[in-house]
Amino acid sequence: MTNRRDFIKNAGVLAGSGLIASSFVSCNAKQEKNLRSTSKMKLSFKPYNLQLKHTFTIASSSRTTTPVMLVEIEYDGFVGYGEAAMPPYLGESHDTAAKFLSQIKLEQFTSPFLLEEILTYVDGVDVGNYAAKASIDIALHDLVGKIVGQPIHKIWGLDASKTPNTSFTIGIDQPDVVKEKVEEASPYKILKVKLGKDNDKEMIRTIRSVTDKPLCVDVNQGWTDKKEALDMIHWLKDQGVVFVEQPMSKEKEKMDEIAWLSENSPLPIIADEALQTIHDVMPLKGVYSGINVKLMKCGGLLAAKKMMTIARALDMKVMIGCMTATSCAISAASQLSPLVDWADLDGNLLISNDVFEGMKVIDGKVTLSELPGIGVRKL
């Protein structure tokens, strides 16, 4: 019988091999040889603070800004862009990201196409720091795509027509502000509603007073009693909600309660805070209906794609999510969107000071471009 470690390893090899092989097939062999012999990768980074259009409130906190680290990797005249988006609950900051990135020595590698080798090295430099690691992963993928002149989704062989609609997030707020947010979200076909305080039904009723669009809800661990949670989910189903994200605590001692809730729920229960890296996926089988994969939590595109492969093998639903971020991180995550059931890729739409132009939402749908790499232009 295949053990857990072997399963993860094999799934990882399966998920990663398509990118590596396709990248090298697309790259002219003579060009690759010249690049190896004449160029070195140069990593640079700078801190930036995102300004949110509205105060962003979830069950446990509120904020008006998000710190990010903007990353560039230069190589043979090409520049790959990356980003670490670091909301406070991740435990990362400008200081921790700068300390981690300062330790990275990419010049030791002969080519950016050595993605598995480079990212294994990056992961081993220090524990944690997954958003910082994701910024390097994103920049490397962007760099590789620019060198071969293709977007990452094409290098992976993904069908851009199969992208889902993205939800637009409505944070917890007073009824008049909630209505304003819903109006701002008029181009979007599904809304993601933050719940978990004492006004959950008021939030839903307020939204339902102005729109009948499908909803999904994110409770951010805000509910504490499984039977009350189940009653609430039945009510939410009647209100046109399609799934529930992280209804109760992520802690291991609550897993039996979550499993009971998932078994009895009329709606899919999706893991968010309970999931971070590839090693967390398999233990969630039978506990949650699906997983929400976020680049900033798992370390980037390569890890996220592996996690999706494992989840599908376990017959679990897959969602791609995000933090509040610039169009750099959002466009990177969108390259994976043809693989998922649901997308929540609105982080760039919630800020007022984006420094990139990238993935567009057209008629509510994630729409991938033909731009190489992750598909962004720097403003």
Side-chain angles (χ1 to χ4, degrees):
M1 179 179 294
T2 304
N3 62 32
R4 175 170 174 264
R5 179 178 296 177
D6 288 340
F7 182 85
I8 291 175
K9 179 180 178 181
N10 292 338
V13 170
L14 176 63
S17 61
L19 173 60
I20 307 303
S22 297
S23 296
F24 277 110
V25 167
S26 302
C27 183
N28 179 276
K30 183 176 180 180
Q31 177 192 30
E32 172 66 11
K33 182 178 179 180
N34 290 337
L35 290 173
R36 285 174 179 268
S37 62
T38 63
S39 302
K40 295 290 185 183
M41 284 181 281
K42 178 183 176 183
L43 172 69
S44 60
F45 53 89
K46 66 177 181 179
Y48 190 64
N49 282 303
L50 304 180
Q51 304 298 320
L52 278 61
K53 294 178 181 177
H54 295 282
T55 299
F56 190 73
T57 300
I58 62 175
S60 59
S61 63
S62 297
R63 69 178 190 275
T64 57
T65 63
T66 300
V68 303
M69 190 68 82
L70 302 177
V71 169
E72 295 184 2
I73 299 177
E74 298 180 41
Y75 182 78
D76 198 57
F78 297 93
V79 179
Y81 298 122
E83 177 181 4
M86 301 171 290
Y89 80 89
L90 284 181
E92 296 184 60
S93 66
H94 285 151
D95 288 342
T96 64
K99 180 180 178 182
F100 178 82
L101 293 170
S102 295
Q103 300 177 72
I104 302 301
K105 308 299 180 187
L106 296 182
E107 60 272 14
Q108 66 184 289
F109 297 97
T110 58
S111 166
F113 288 85
L114 303 173
L115 284 168
E116 288 274 7
E117 183 178 342
I118 296 169
L119 293 173
T120 298
Y121 152 73
V122 169
D123 189 49
V125 167
D126 200 355
V127 297
N129 294 284
Y130 286 105
K133 292 172 181 176
S135 70
I136 298 173
D137 169 283
I138 292 168
L140 282 170
H141 281 86
D142 193 38
L143 184 60
V144 165
K146 286 173 176 173
I147 291 171
V148 301
Q150 294 293 334
I152 293 300
H153 70 270
K154 277 196 170 182
I155 293 174
W156 281 335
L158 302 181
D159 186 347
S161 70
K162 293 183 177 180
T163 58
N165 294 325
T166 180
S167 55
F168 185 91
T169 301
I170 309 295
I172 299 169
D173 220 316
Q174 297 300 313
D176 58 336
V177 180
V178 170
K179 290 180 182 180
E180 180 184 344
K181 292 177 179 178
V182 172
E183 178 62 27
E184 289 179 8
S186 58
Y188 303 93
K189 295 184 176 180
I190 181 169
L191 303 179
K192 178 176 178 177
V193 186
K194 294 289 188 177
L195 299 181
K197 286 188 176 290
D198 57 1
N199 64 337
D200 288 351
K201 288 190 175 182
E202 179 187 59
M203 282 286 298
I204 299 298
R205 286 174 176 142
T206 299
I207 293 169
R208 279 289 171 250
S209 72
V210 292
T211 184
D212 61 356
K213 291 178 180 179
L215 308 176
C216 55
V217 301
D218 185 359
V219 188
N220 291 117
Q221 309 180 80
W223 297 341
T224 57
D225 183 272
K226 66 179 184 180
K227 292 184 178 179
E228 291 179 5
L230 183 60
D231 288 343
M232 185 65 180
I233 293 170
H234 278 284
W235 183 83
L236 290 170
K237 184 176 186 297
D238 291 340
Q239 305 305 310
V241 171
V242 296
F243 68 83
V244 178
E245 195 175 339
Q246 201 64 57
M248 300 178 67
S249 172
K250 67 177 182 179
E251 300 303 326
K252 290 183 178 180
E253 56 265 26
K254 293 290 185 179
M255 288 182 72
D256 287 344
E257 293 187 14
I258 291 284
W260 178 89
L261 189 60
S262 295
E263 183 179 359
N264 291 280
S265 172
L267 299 175
I269 305 297
I270 308 302
D272 182 4
E273 285 91 341
L275 174 83
Q276 181 162 0
T277 70
I278 190 170
H279 304 292
D280 298 321
V281 180
M282 290 189 68
L284 299 184
K285 171 64 176 175
V287 181
Y288 293 86
S289 314
I291 60 172
N292 182 2
V293 180
K294 296 180 179 179
L295 304 189
M296 298 302 136
K297 292 203 300 181
C298 71
L301 286 160
L302 197 60
K305 192 167 185 285
K306 293 175 181 181
M307 291 170 72
M308 292 177 180
T309 299
I310 294 172
R312 291 304 191 191
L314 297 173
D315 197 29
M316 299 177 77
K317 296 287 188 180
V318 176
M319 175 181 177
I320 183 76
C322 66
M323 312 301 178
T324 47
T326 75
S327 290
C328 177
I330 302 303
S331 298
S334 73
Q335 301 298 314
L336 288 162
S337 62
L339 295 172
V340 306
D341 300 292
W342 302 295
D344 180 37
L345 295 176
D346 64 344
N348 58 326
L349 307 174
L350 305 177
I351 65 172
S352 60
N353 59 337
D354 203 346
V355 288
F356 290 93
E357 180 182 34
M359 182 273 289
K360 302 295 184 184
V361 178
I362 300 177
D363 195 25
K365 180 180 171 68
V366 174
T367 305
L368 299 173
S369 75
E370 293 296 304
L371 289 175
I374 61 171
V376 296
R377 294 188 180 97
K378 197 172 184 180
L379 297 176

